[in-house]
Amino acid sequence: MALADRFITLGRDTHSGEVLARGGDPEAHSVLQRTSFIPVVRLHQTYHRLPTGLDEAEEKRLATRAVARLRALSYHVETDDAFDTDLREAHYLPLGSQIAHLAEQIREATTTDEVADALTELTATHDGVLTALGEVLAATAEFYQDLGQAPDPYTAKRLHYLTEHRLGVIWSDLAHMRNDLADRHQDHPQRRACTAEVPPGEREASTTCACPPPPPRLSTTSPGPAVPNPTARRR
């Protein structure tokens, strides 16, 4: 993590009068959003602002709370005197991070049963994560339906579409994969559980584990291999 990402400025902009926060990394941005700040993405900059329509007292309350939350996570926050505070608000693991822990379980899994157990948390029919997400989308659609502005019924219809035709496909595919893995009872050929034991013939006295180091994790943005062009081959 770049050191500059630990620095954040939060204050009232002299030109627009808005309360703006600039800088920080994705974790800091999440803290700001959980304190009612709205992300603004421009061509050459990204920052956060408080919602419009707030009175000055509410702006001060939210900005001060954001400063307290960020400093509790050891971010360096430069702020206006009006928003400065010595308070440090406790930080609790958000729901998204708890769900993301399933990814770590899958990365460390050595058997199909372990991955099936993790996917079950997503695909369980009654109380799985995806089922709960569908309920959230449906409840939001109901809220939009009679909210009163002209685009609102269309927004509600869009949410129903996403629930039925997008989320449903994801759930169906993952449920099929989960069931397939649950039937295999297979060890992964490239992974093995770490026993933390040293073989009797090991010569190095400082060795504490016989397992090889894990391979480096590839970036998700790395380009894949080039796909051959059959037309160019014919030419």
Side-chain angles (χ1 to χ4, degrees):
M1 180 187 301
L3 183 60
D5 290 339
R6 305 299 300 179
F7 287 81
I8 301 167
T9 60
L10 192 156
R12 192 175 296 279
D13 186 71
T14 55
H15 300 289
S16 66
E18 296 177 302
V19 177
L20 306 180
R22 301 182 185 275
D25 57 9
E27 183 181 14
H29 299 166
S30 178
V31 172
L32 289 168
Q33 291 166 23
R34 293 176 187 281
T35 320
S36 297
F37 279 75
I38 296 174
V40 180
V41 180
R42 294 286 184 261
L43 181 60
H44 298 294
Q45 61 177 337
T46 299
Y47 58 94
H48 289 74
R49 64 168 175 83
L50 282 179
T52 59
L54 302 179
D55 58 33
E56 188 172 343
E58 182 64 6
E59 288 180 335
K60 180 178 180 180
R61 184 186 73 83
L62 292 174
T64 303
R65 189 176 192 187
V67 171
R69 287 179 167 181
L70 290 167
R71 287 178 176 169
L73 294 174
S74 300
Y75 287 97
H76 178 80
V77 185
E78 293 184 1
T79 187
D80 298 349
D81 291 341
F83 307 142
D84 205 359
T85 177
D86 292 329
L87 297 177
R88 300 292 182 268
E89 184 171 332
H91 179 72
Y92 300 98
L93 192 66
L95 181 59
S97 295
Q98 298 178 47
I99 297 173
H101 182 62
L102 295 174
E104 291 302 318
Q105 294 181 17
I106 294 175
R107 291 189 183 104
E108 297 172 0
T110 59
T111 68
T112 57
D113 291 334
E114 292 172 342
V115 178
D117 288 343
L119 292 181
T120 300
E121 295 299 325
L122 294 177
T123 60
T125 304
H126 175 64
D127 51 8
V129 172
L130 293 179
T131 299
L133 178 57
E135 294 177 1
V136 171
L137 294 178
T140 307
E142 294 174 4
F143 181 82
Y144 261 105
Q145 184 63 47
D146 300 317
L147 196 53
Q149 295 189 10
D152 294 339
Y154 299 97
T155 302
K157 186 179 296 185
R158 175 66 178 173
L159 288 169
H160 284 304
Y161 170 80
L162 292 175
T163 304
E164 297 172 7
H165 300 283
R166 297 295 190 219
L167 186 60
V169 171
I170 295 174
W171 179 88
S172 177
D173 285 355
L174 284 179
H176 174 77
M177 297 173 194
R178 178 262 174 193
N179 296 338
D180 172 64
L181 292 172
D183 280 336
R184 289 195 187 188
H185 308 293
Q186 174 187 340
D187 294 335
H188 194 287
Q190 302 299 325
R191 300 184 185 185
R192 63 179 180 180
C194 179
T195 61
E197 296 178 355
V198 180
E202 177 61 60
R203 297 176 57 186
E204 298 294 338
S206 60
T207 301
T208 59
C209 179
C211 296
R217 184 175 299 173
L218 298 177
S219 171
T220 56
T221 58
S222 299
V227 179
N229 187 336
T231 305
R233 188 183 299 118
R234 285 197 300 270
R235 292 178 182 174

